[in-house]
Each structure stands twice: as C-alpha cells, then as structure tokens.
Amino acid sequence: MEYRHLGKTGLKVSEISLGSWLTYGGYVEEKNAEASIDKAYDLGINFFDTANVYMRGEAEKIVGKALRKYPRSSYVLATKVFGKMGDGPNDQGLSRKHIMEQCDASLQRLGLDYVDVYYCHRYHPDTPLEETLRALDDLIRQGKVLYIGVSEWTAEQMTEAVHLADQKLLDRIVVNQPNYSMLHRYIENEVIPVSEKHGIGQIVFSPLAQGVLTGKYKKGEAIPEDSRAAQKNLDLSRVLTEQNLERVEALKGIAANENLSLAQLSIAWILRQDNVSSALIGASKPEQIEENAKASGVTLSKETIAKVEDILHQ
C-alpha cells in the first residue's frame, strides 16, 4: 500500500480508503463488516470513513467497534455532519448547535476521544458560513477534531470558506470528498484546480461508479439480484446507461492488456491525479478489498491513459 499526504497537510493516508455508506449497519452483517475492516487494516489501509447519517448512527458504531482493537495512532478516521438525525428543526444542517451536538454524539457512538477528519457532508445555505467554520475551529481547539473538510462543495463555496478562514484566523478546510470516477468527472474543471491552489486534497467516493466499473452489469442482460442496482432504495439510472455499458466493455480490453481487473484500472486511473489523496471504496466482503487494494502503486502509461480517454469520449 502506498500513502499520500492529505492535501498540503503532514497527514499521510493510504491511496485506498474504506467507506461504510450503504454497507455497514445496513445490508452487510456486522461480522462481515468487521472482517472487511480487518482485511483492509491488514492490507495497509489506514483511512476509514463513515458518517453520522449512515443508518442513523449504526455505521459509526460498527466502524468504531471494529477499529477499537487497533492502536489509535495507527489509523485515520473520518465522519461527517449535516444530514437529518431527528425530527426536530435543529436536527440537521451546519448550525453551531447541530455541529457541536453531533460531534459529541458521533464520538460516543465511535467510542473515541477524537476523529481525525470531520466533514461538512454538504453545503448548507441556511447557515452563515462563519458560524459553521467557527464551530469547526472550536472543535479543533477542544481536541475533538484534528482536520476539517467538506463533501460535494462547489469550487466557489470552497474558495469562500478558505478566504473567510484566513480573514478570521480560523483553521482551513484541507480536504474535499467528491463523487469522482471515469463516468463522473465534473471535479476536473473547477474543483481540482481550486483545491490545488488552496492545498485541499480529494478523497473521492464512488470510484467504481456504484459498481458499474467492475463490469458486473452487462448490456442486454438482467441486473444481478445481489447487486446494488437491484436495491429498491438506490437509483443507478444516471450511470447505468447503454453508452456507459458499452464503454465498460471497451475498457475491459485495456484492463486485460495491463494485467489489471477493470476495478483496478478504474482506481489507478483516478490516482493518476496528484490532487487525489485517496480513493474511497466500499466493500461487502473482504475479497473485494483485496482486489481493489492492488490498484495502489499502479502507474498507467501516457499511452494507456490516452486510450482510456478515447473510450470515455465516445
């Protein structure tokens, strides 16, 4: 496993990180979830991601319990705040009240004294940005959070946050967690350039486009019953298109020529970006982690990247 700096910080994270969205505390049994976390740790993955809103706190409990057997200094843990955690008017968003209360609640569920990275899960236009940044800065001063970040913020929103933090002498955001894959590339135009300018690293989620870039879905064939696309609460219609399935078939040939699986090629392609600190994978079983982790350290030639680009622009 190779490691990269989280943005311009001194913190090093594994090129592959393990998430818990749609998995732990959900349709994956706790025993299998813990086995997956153990496998990831054994493979050198040191960055684990969860959120308070994942299964209303159940994912945090499982991740915290699984990691508790390891030295706290040996792993980096991230969680998030923003999503709805109750029915009250202050049970969501990025107000000072919600942030402070949810950080304490997350730490209690995780069974930890601090989290390494605390994300604003989305942007909240109803809360003054300074209120949010001051609350996060206070959590850092209290030692409950070491680094702060955002998820799916626009380049403009991140720029405003950096400038305001500098103006008010508050801790800056150092990481962004966007959706990024071969089939979803919006961050390349503005988010990555702005992030490079301000020292913000990317921890990208859905690097395999919700499983489409594993090759499990095939044009003209029924959706596998045990796949994510078969879940009633998950709509993959935007990514699971005929055009994308044709691209996937073409990409398989490139992967084979590189002696890589399609998933490994897809993750290695993401890691070609220096601004990407880590690719966040999900896994329902340890074997998936073992395969995806092999993408770390893979360097794709300019010729191979050019061939991939040709397919993606068809």
PDB file of all heavy atoms in Angstrom, residues 9 17 23 33 52 72 93 103 153 156 164 198 203 233-234 252 269 286 295 312:
ATOM      1  N   THR A   9      -1.345  18.961   4.081  1.00  0.00           N
ATOM      2  CA  THR A   9      -1.064  18.695   5.494  1.00  0.00           C
ATOM      3  C   THR A   9       0.084  17.693   5.608  1.00  0.00           C
ATOM      4  O   THR A   9       0.537  17.119   4.622  1.00  0.00           O
ATOM      5  CB  THR A   9      -2.280  18.114   6.220  1.00  0.00           C
ATOM      6  OG1 THR A   9      -2.463  16.732   5.825  1.00  0.00           O
ATOM      7  CG2 THR A   9      -3.548  18.891   5.901  1.00  0.00           C
ATOM      8  N   SER A  17      -8.897   3.901   0.578  1.00  0.00           N
ATOM      9  CA  SER A  17      -9.531   4.025   1.891  1.00  0.00           C
ATOM     10  C   SER A  17     -10.856   3.272   1.873  1.00  0.00           C
ATOM     11  O   SER A  17     -11.405   2.979   0.806  1.00  0.00           O
ATOM     12  CB  SER A  17      -9.734   5.500   2.256  1.00  0.00           C
ATOM     13  OG  SER A  17     -10.237   6.242   1.157  1.00  0.00           O
ATOM     14  N   THR A  23     -23.372   0.076   3.390  1.00  0.00           N
ATOM     15  CA  THR A  23     -22.859  -1.244   3.762  1.00  0.00           C
ATOM     16  C   THR A  23     -22.997  -1.476   5.260  1.00  0.00           C
ATOM     17  O   THR A  23     -23.933  -2.122   5.707  1.00  0.00           O
ATOM     18  CB  THR A  23     -21.394  -1.417   3.327  1.00  0.00           C
ATOM     19  OG1 THR A  23     -20.632  -0.270   3.757  1.00  0.00           O
ATOM     20  CG2 THR A  23     -21.262  -1.525   1.825  1.00  0.00           C
ATOM     21  N   ALA A  33     -18.862  -7.080   8.102  1.00  0.00           N
ATOM     22  CA  ALA A  33     -18.352  -5.710   8.080  1.00  0.00           C
ATOM     23  C   ALA A  33     -17.040  -5.627   8.845  1.00  0.00           C
ATOM     24  O   ALA A  33     -16.065  -5.016   8.381  1.00  0.00           O
ATOM     25  CB  ALA A  33     -19.385  -4.759   8.684  1.00  0.00           C
ATOM     26  N   ASN A  52     -22.397  10.230  10.446  1.00  0.00           N
ATOM     27  CA  ASN A  52     -23.454  10.067  11.446  1.00  0.00           C
ATOM     28  C   ASN A  52     -24.769   9.622  10.813  1.00  0.00           C
ATOM     29  O   ASN A  52     -25.536   8.852  11.397  1.00  0.00           O
ATOM     30  CB  ASN A  52     -23.661  11.371  12.228  1.00  0.00           C
ATOM     31  CG  ASN A  52     -24.125  12.551  11.366  1.00  0.00           C
ATOM     32  OD1 ASN A  52     -24.021  12.527  10.136  1.00  0.00           O
ATOM     33  ND2 ASN A  52     -24.616  13.593  12.009  1.00  0.00           N
ATOM     34  N   ARG A  72      -4.812   3.552  18.417  1.00  0.00           N
ATOM     35  CA  ARG A  72      -5.487   4.722  17.847  1.00  0.00           C
ATOM     36  C   ARG A  72      -4.583   5.495  16.904  1.00  0.00           C
ATOM     37  O   ARG A  72      -5.051   6.098  15.926  1.00  0.00           O
ATOM     38  CB  ARG A  72      -5.973   5.651  18.981  1.00  0.00           C
ATOM     39  CG  ARG A  72      -6.752   6.888  18.496  1.00  0.00           C
ATOM     40  CD  ARG A  72      -8.011   6.472  17.767  1.00  0.00           C
ATOM     41  NE  ARG A  72      -8.729   7.601  17.189  1.00  0.00           N
ATOM     42  CZ  ARG A  72      -8.538   8.067  15.967  1.00  0.00           C
ATOM     43  NH1 ARG A  72      -7.626   7.510  15.166  1.00  0.00           N
ATOM     44  NH2 ARG A  72      -9.245   9.082  15.506  1.00  0.00           N
ATOM     45  N   GLY A  93     -28.281  20.023   9.276  1.00  0.00           N
ATOM     46  CA  GLY A  93     -27.664  21.264   8.839  1.00  0.00           C
ATOM     47  C   GLY A  93     -26.293  21.495   9.431  1.00  0.00           C
ATOM     48  O   GLY A  93     -25.649  20.579   9.951  1.00  0.00           O
ATOM     49  N   CYS A 103     -21.103  16.144  16.839  1.00  0.00           N
ATOM     50  CA  CYS A 103     -19.735  15.687  17.029  1.00  0.00           C
ATOM     51  C   CYS A 103     -19.638  14.853  18.306  1.00  0.00           C
ATOM     52  O   CYS A 103     -19.052  13.763  18.307  1.00  0.00           O
ATOM     53  CB  CYS A 103     -18.773  16.866  17.100  1.00  0.00           C
ATOM     54  SG  CYS A 103     -17.037  16.365  17.251  1.00  0.00           S
ATOM     55  N   TRP A 153     -18.891  20.192  -2.090  1.00  0.00           N
ATOM     56  CA  TRP A 153     -18.987  21.647  -2.187  1.00  0.00           C
ATOM     57  C   TRP A 153     -18.459  22.084  -3.550  1.00  0.00           C
ATOM     58  O   TRP A 153     -17.584  21.440  -4.133  1.00  0.00           O
ATOM     59  CB  TRP A 153     -18.181  22.329  -1.082  1.00  0.00           C
ATOM     60  CG  TRP A 153     -18.830  22.282   0.276  1.00  0.00           C
ATOM     61  CD1 TRP A 153     -19.684  21.334   0.744  1.00  0.00           C
ATOM     62  CD2 TRP A 153     -18.651  23.241   1.333  1.00  0.00           C
ATOM     63  NE1 TRP A 153     -20.043  21.616   2.043  1.00  0.00           N
ATOM     64  CE2 TRP A 153     -19.426  22.787   2.431  1.00  0.00           C
ATOM     65  CE3 TRP A 153     -17.905  24.408   1.482  1.00  0.00           C
ATOM     66  CZ2 TRP A 153     -19.485  23.464   3.648  1.00  0.00           C
ATOM     67  CZ3 TRP A 153     -17.957  25.094   2.687  1.00  0.00           C
ATOM     68  CH2 TRP A 153     -18.745  24.636   3.751  1.00  0.00           C
ATOM     69  N   GLU A 156     -16.505  27.424  -5.867  1.00  0.00           N
ATOM     70  CA  GLU A 156     -16.802  28.754  -5.321  1.00  0.00           C
ATOM     71  C   GLU A 156     -17.024  28.697  -3.808  1.00  0.00           C
ATOM     72  O   GLU A 156     -16.536  29.551  -3.063  1.00  0.00           O
ATOM     73  CB  GLU A 156     -18.037  29.334  -6.017  1.00  0.00           C
ATOM     74  CG  GLU A 156     -18.389  30.745  -5.578  1.00  0.00           C
ATOM     75  CD  GLU A 156     -19.619  31.303  -6.280  1.00  0.00           C
ATOM     76  OE1 GLU A 156     -20.238  30.555  -7.073  1.00  0.00           O
ATOM     77  OE2 GLU A 156     -19.968  32.467  -6.037  1.00  0.00           O
ATOM     78  N   LEU A 164     -12.531  33.185   4.029  1.00  0.00           N
ATOM     79  CA  LEU A 164     -13.130  33.580   5.309  1.00  0.00           C
ATOM     80  C   LEU A 164     -12.304  33.074   6.484  1.00  0.00           C
ATOM     81  O   LEU A 164     -12.087  33.793   7.467  1.00  0.00           O
ATOM     82  CB  LEU A 164     -14.569  33.065   5.398  1.00  0.00           C
ATOM     83  CG  LEU A 164     -15.358  33.484   6.653  1.00  0.00           C
ATOM     84  CD1 LEU A 164     -15.428  35.001   6.762  1.00  0.00           C
ATOM     85  CD2 LEU A 164     -16.767  32.888   6.604  1.00  0.00           C
ATOM     86  N   HIS A 198      -5.347  25.972  -3.142  1.00  0.00           N
ATOM     87  CA  HIS A 198      -5.513  26.209  -1.705  1.00  0.00           C
ATOM     88  C   HIS A 198      -5.058  25.036  -0.830  1.00  0.00           C
ATOM     89  O   HIS A 198      -5.302  25.036   0.380  1.00  0.00           O
ATOM     90  CB  HIS A 198      -6.978  26.538  -1.402  1.00  0.00           C
ATOM     91  CG  HIS A 198      -7.449  27.819  -2.040  1.00  0.00           C
ATOM     92  ND1 HIS A 198      -6.895  29.044  -1.751  1.00  0.00           N
ATOM     93  CD2 HIS A 198      -8.421  28.044  -2.965  1.00  0.00           C
ATOM     94  CE1 HIS A 198      -7.506  29.984  -2.461  1.00  0.00           C
ATOM     95  NE2 HIS A 198      -8.431  29.404  -3.210  1.00  0.00           N
ATOM     96  N   ILE A 203     -10.619  13.214  -1.378  1.00  0.00           N
ATOM     97  CA  ILE A 203     -10.883  11.823  -1.012  1.00  0.00           C
ATOM     98  C   ILE A 203     -12.139  11.453  -1.783  1.00  0.00           C
ATOM     99  O   ILE A 203     -13.244  11.824  -1.396  1.00  0.00           O
ATOM    100  CB  ILE A 203     -11.120  11.646   0.504  1.00  0.00           C
ATOM    101  CG1 ILE A 203      -9.942  12.191   1.307  1.00  0.00           C
ATOM    102  CG2 ILE A 203     -11.382  10.172   0.822  1.00  0.00           C
ATOM    103  CD1 ILE A 203      -8.656  11.415   1.146  1.00  0.00           C
ATOM    104  N   ASN A 233     -33.973   1.063  -2.908  1.00  0.00           N
ATOM    105  CA  ASN A 233     -33.742   2.436  -2.449  1.00  0.00           C
ATOM    106  C   ASN A 233     -32.568   3.117  -3.143  1.00  0.00           C
ATOM    107  O   ASN A 233     -32.138   4.188  -2.725  1.00  0.00           O
ATOM    108  CB  ASN A 233     -33.500   2.449  -0.928  1.00  0.00           C
ATOM    109  CG  ASN A 233     -32.246   1.675  -0.543  1.00  0.00           C
ATOM    110  OD1 ASN A 233     -31.757   0.864  -1.321  1.00  0.00           O
ATOM    111  ND2 ASN A 233     -31.724   1.928   0.641  1.00  0.00           N
ATOM    112  N   LEU A 234     -32.053   2.516  -4.201  1.00  0.00           N
ATOM    113  CA  LEU A 234     -30.893   3.084  -4.880  1.00  0.00           C
ATOM    114  C   LEU A 234     -31.169   3.175  -6.373  1.00  0.00           C
ATOM    115  O   LEU A 234     -31.446   2.176  -7.028  1.00  0.00           O
ATOM    116  CB  LEU A 234     -29.656   2.213  -4.626  1.00  0.00           C
ATOM    117  CG  LEU A 234     -28.309   2.800  -5.039  1.00  0.00           C
ATOM    118  CD1 LEU A 234     -28.014   4.071  -4.263  1.00  0.00           C
ATOM    119  CD2 LEU A 234     -27.196   1.783  -4.803  1.00  0.00           C
ATOM    120  N   LYS A 252     -12.612  -3.005 -20.580  1.00  0.00           N
ATOM    121  CA  LYS A 252     -12.154  -4.328 -20.135  1.00  0.00           C
ATOM    122  C   LYS A 252     -10.927  -4.776 -20.929  1.00  0.00           C
ATOM    123  O   LYS A 252     -10.023  -5.419 -20.381  1.00  0.00           O
ATOM    124  CB  LYS A 252     -13.287  -5.359 -20.296  1.00  0.00           C
ATOM    125  CG  LYS A 252     -14.382  -5.259 -19.249  1.00  0.00           C
ATOM    126  CD  LYS A 252     -15.443  -6.319 -19.507  1.00  0.00           C
ATOM    127  CE  LYS A 252     -16.582  -6.229 -18.504  1.00  0.00           C
ATOM    128  NZ  LYS A 252     -17.639  -7.243 -18.776  1.00  0.00           N
ATOM    129  N   TRP A 269      -6.631   4.828 -12.568  1.00  0.00           N
ATOM    130  CA  TRP A 269      -6.896   5.996 -13.403  1.00  0.00           C
ATOM    131  C   TRP A 269      -7.197   7.215 -12.531  1.00  0.00           C
ATOM    132  O   TRP A 269      -6.717   8.319 -12.792  1.00  0.00           O
ATOM    133  CB  TRP A 269      -8.064   5.701 -14.343  1.00  0.00           C
ATOM    134  CG  TRP A 269      -8.463   6.842 -15.225  1.00  0.00           C
ATOM    135  CD1 TRP A 269      -7.946   7.162 -16.448  1.00  0.00           C
ATOM    136  CD2 TRP A 269      -9.483   7.812 -14.947  1.00  0.00           C
ATOM    137  NE1 TRP A 269      -8.585   8.278 -16.947  1.00  0.00           N
ATOM    138  CE2 TRP A 269      -9.523   8.688 -16.053  1.00  0.00           C
ATOM    139  CE3 TRP A 269     -10.362   8.013 -13.890  1.00  0.00           C
ATOM    140  CZ2 TRP A 269     -10.409   9.767 -16.114  1.00  0.00           C
ATOM    141  CZ3 TRP A 269     -11.241   9.084 -13.941  1.00  0.00           C
ATOM    142  CH2 TRP A 269     -11.262   9.957 -15.055  1.00  0.00           C
ATOM    143  N   PRO A 286     -14.488  -9.146   2.303  1.00  0.00           N
ATOM    144  CA  PRO A 286     -13.048  -8.881   2.309  1.00  0.00           C
ATOM    145  C   PRO A 286     -12.371  -9.071   0.962  1.00  0.00           C
ATOM    146  O   PRO A 286     -11.417  -8.356   0.642  1.00  0.00           O
ATOM    147  CB  PRO A 286     -12.516  -9.884   3.341  1.00  0.00           C
ATOM    148  CG  PRO A 286     -13.672 -10.158   4.243  1.00  0.00           C
ATOM    149  CD  PRO A 286     -14.877 -10.102   3.360  1.00  0.00           C
ATOM    150  N   ALA A 295      -4.688  -1.801  -6.685  1.00  0.00           N
ATOM    151  CA  ALA A 295      -4.561  -0.642  -7.580  1.00  0.00           C
ATOM    152  C   ALA A 295      -3.567   0.370  -7.035  1.00  0.00           C
ATOM    153  O   ALA A 295      -3.042   1.203  -7.792  1.00  0.00           O
ATOM    154  CB  ALA A 295      -5.921   0.029  -7.776  1.00  0.00           C
ATOM    155  N   LEU A 312     -13.726   7.010 -23.218  1.00  0.00           N
ATOM    156  CA  LEU A 312     -14.639   7.808 -22.387  1.00  0.00           C
ATOM    157  C   LEU A 312     -15.269   8.955 -23.164  1.00  0.00           C
ATOM    158  O   LEU A 312     -16.343   9.457 -22.785  1.00  0.00           O
ATOM    159  CB  LEU A 312     -13.909   8.362 -21.166  1.00  0.00           C
ATOM    160  CG  LEU A 312     -13.377   7.306 -20.175  1.00  0.00           C
ATOM    161  CD1 LEU A 312     -12.675   7.987 -19.002  1.00  0.00           C
ATOM    162  CD2 LEU A 312     -14.511   6.420 -19.658  1.00  0.00           C
TER     163      LEU A 312
END
